Amino acid sequence: MQPAAAKWYDRPDCVFVEFCVEDSRDVQVKFDKSKIDFGCVIGTDDIKHENTLDLFGEIDPKGSKHRRTDRSVMCCLRKAEPGKPWPRLTKDKTKCNWLSVDFNNWKDWEDDSDEDMSRYDKFSEMMNSMEGDDLCDLDEHYSADSDDE
């Protein structure tokens, strides 16, 4: 077993973690107050990936959701204390070689304008309406934030 590559970014109400696993199956995501467990199998060689993250802050396990696509598994972790920024994803300051910041989606949201917040609110509402790993269109979020490039 090996950890899956992942990237993350912070928002006022949620933290997003994307596990970069193509053609995954047997996906399991378990949300606890202070950690998440992720596991899946990929490829024809049945490579098993497993990650355990002890989180920087607490989350609401019932309000947190995940969605599987052909290319990744996106997790939306609902913060227990909304509005409090997370300087890192993990409790431990040790750098994980499989974890990186998603700079394409990262924003210093403490200084966001009303327009930027309305885009975030729209995406947040969409994530709130998700059930488990229901399929929903995350492409809108990626294209909305990618216009800064």
Side-chain angles (χ1 to χ4, degrees):
M1 255 188 251
Q2 59 188 357
K7 51 190 178 178
W8 78 285
Y9 59 99
D10 187 30
R11 289 294 190 267
D13 295 329
C14 299
V15 173
F16 294 90
V17 181
E18 182 176 15
F19 293 97
C20 305
V21 287
E22 290 189 25
D23 300 322
S24 61
R25 60 186 187 284
D26 301 330
V27 173
Q28 297 179 11
V29 180
K30 181 180 178 196
F31 300 109
D32 289 324
K33 277 185 121 174
S34 59
K35 78 176 191 173
I36 63 170
D37 291 308
F38 170 79
C40 73
V41 176
I42 64 166
T44 56
D45 296 336
D46 292 335
I47 299 170
K48 294 180 182 176
H49 289 284
E50 190 172 284
N51 300 61
T52 297
L53 293 165
D54 291 317
L55 299 170
F56 174 80
E58 289 191 357
I59 63 170
D60 172 12
K62 292 183 194 248
S64 299
K65 303 180 185 324
H66 74 280
R67 175 184 178 245
R68 183 200 159 283
T69 68
D70 289 341
R71 295 177 38 183
S72 66
V73 176
M74 175 64 88
C75 298
C76 174
L77 312 177
R78 174 78 48 201
K79 290 181 180 178
E81 294 182 53
K84 184 176 178 184
W86 288 18
R88 61 184 179 278
L89 180 62
T90 59
K91 180 189 277 187
D92 192 5
K93 290 184 181 182
T94 305
K95 180 158 174 49
C96 301
N97 61 357
W98 50 267
L99 180 63
S100 63
V101 173
D102 184 350
F103 288 106
N104 288 335
N105 289 303
W106 189 268
K107 285 181 178 260
D108 185 11
W109 52 262
E110 293 173 297
D111 300 325
D112 271 350
S113 68
D114 290 339
E115 179 183 326
D116 290 336
M117 288 308 292
S118 69
R119 284 196 307 198
Y120 164 75
D121 291 339
K122 186 176 179 182
F123 181 68
S124 182
E125 286 174 19
M126 180 179 63
M127 290 301 289
N128 286 339
S129 68
M130 287 176 51
E131 292 295 330
D133 62 1
D134 264 356
L135 297 178
C136 71
D137 187 9
L138 288 177
D139 293 336
E140 177 182 334
H141 170 68
Y142 290 123
S143 64
D145 284 345
S146 64
D147 60 351
D148 295 337
E149 296 174 18

